[in-house]
Amino acid sequence: MTSATPSAAPPGPNGSPGTSGAHASAASPASSASRADRIGDAALDLLVERGMRGLTHRAVDERAGLPQGSTSNHARTRQALLETAVRRQVQLESQVLTPDELPGAAGPHGTAGTAGTAGPSGTVGTARAAEGARDRPRDGAPDGAPGRTPDGAPGTAPGGPSEPAPHALLDTDTLVDALSLALHRYLTDHRALLVSRYELALEATRRPELRAFFDAAGSVFHGPLVAMTAAAGSPEPERHALSLIAWCEGLMFSCAAGSFHAAVPSRAELRTGFEELLRGMLGGGTGPGRGESTGAAGDRGGRCRA
């Protein structure tokens, strides 16, 4: 998320907003980044600083430090330039969490969990634990009920809203930790990514061809979130994933451009919010220790402010 003004966004991993480093990947420093990445980073920076009107081929050349005409050679049309920006946006958002940052995670076969983050479609997270769930048959599924949803996520598990699925593969605490870490990192370290995402999303509402590309790019985040929700025991993973997306998107926008831009919740507060949301989805209590916020060391807080 971002603050109310783009210039107030905190520095990215390799630089401050307003420089090509603001959107540079930690794995791809400017000195070794590909030309496509440099163009994408510069395009995102311009969106944050100047908005859609400031995004031109010439401006990207100048921001990226490339010879005049380089951006036009890479992306000849404005649509192609916007697609380059969307593609880079997805790449950077997928790196907000590293593969080993699903706290205390272990997949169904003992593999370490892995988490992604909110993409253009607003989803948060992906886990190997959930991936393993896709290949497991559903025990006790009603006759004719599919074992997987069309996107490969586990199908609806037996049991009503107040009865969690009996074969949950992903501990709720693990899911809460991953989601709260990703969201808190957006709100504190990657606000510029949220500003550029909102600029692209708004432009997609005016350009049908960009809408199709934007949605397709963001769809890579949706299936894994549905799978994670199912693996945590959701009886209705598609609907519950939508609720998680809506809650995250609303909070991100409020803290990036809305009335809560100066009052970012702590990780502990975000954790409490996710606990309350998932408790309502999955039913039952929070379990031992789940009633307390256990974010970063020494970080304790109450309910989420937004």
Side-chain angles (χ1 to χ4, degrees), residues 102 114-119 121-131 134 149 151-154 170 175-176 178-180 182 218-234 236-249 274 277-278 281-282:
L102 192 58
T114 172
T117 49
S121 59
T123 61
V124 182
T126 165
R128 288 182 190 157
E131 292 170 4
R134 297 177 189 172
T149 60
D151 62 6
L170 182 63
L175 180 57
V176 166
L179 294 175
S180 60
S219 67
V220 300
F221 296 94
H222 177 258
L225 180 62
V226 174
M228 286 182 72
T229 308
S234 168
E236 299 181 70
E238 285 280 357
R239 186 171 65 83
H240 287 162
L242 176 60
S243 294
L244 282 170
I245 292 168
W247 190 83
C248 290
E249 284 286 6
F274 277 117
L277 189 60
L278 288 169
M281 292 177 180
L282 304 180

Side-chain angles (χ1 to χ4, degrees), residues 154-279:
T156 300
S162 62
E163 180 186 355
H167 300 298
L169 302 176
L170 182 63
D171 179 77
T172 305
D173 277 345
T174 297
L175 180 57
V176 166
D177 282 338
L179 294 175
S180 60
L181 176 60
L183 189 52
H184 187 258
R185 194 163 286 175
Y186 267 106
L187 295 174
T188 55
D189 297 331
H190 298 285
R191 289 187 170 199
L193 276 177
L194 294 174
V195 174
S196 55
R197 188 209 299 176
Y198 296 148
E199 289 284 349
L200 290 166
L202 288 172
E203 186 68 5
T205 66
R206 297 181 284 265
R207 289 175 172 264
E209 65 277 15
L210 181 61
R211 174 87 273 165
F213 187 85
F214 187 89
D215 291 347
S219 67
V220 300
F221 296 94
H222 177 258
L225 180 62
V226 174
M228 286 182 72
T229 308
S234 168
E236 299 181 70
E238 285 280 357
R239 186 171 65 83
H240 287 162
L242 176 60
S243 294
L244 282 170
I245 292 168
W247 190 83
C248 290
E249 284 286 6
L251 186 57
M252 287 191 294
F253 186 83
S254 293
C255 292
S259 58
F260 285 87
H261 64 91
V264 175
S266 68
R267 185 180 169 194
E269 290 174 316
L270 294 174
R271 196 181 196 286
T272 298
F274 277 117
E275 284 176 339
E276 293 169 342
L277 189 60
L278 288 169
R279 186 188 309 134

Side-chain angles (χ1 to χ4, degrees), residues 57-58 61-62 66-73:
H57 288 76
R58 181 185 294 273
D61 284 340
E62 294 174 353
L66 295 171
Q68 186 173 341
S70 297
T71 300
S72 293
N73 288 334

Side-chain angles (χ1 to χ4, degrees), residues 25-62:
S25 165
S28 301
S31 60
S32 62
S34 69
R35 177 162 295 195
D37 287 350
R38 291 173 65 184
I39 290 172
D41 288 337
L44 295 179
D45 284 339
L46 289 168
L47 288 174
V48 172
E49 277 192 5
R50 307 177 189 176
M52 195 57 64
R53 291 183 180 180
L55 179 63
T56 66
H57 288 76
R58 181 185 294 273
V60 171
D61 284 340
E62 294 174 353

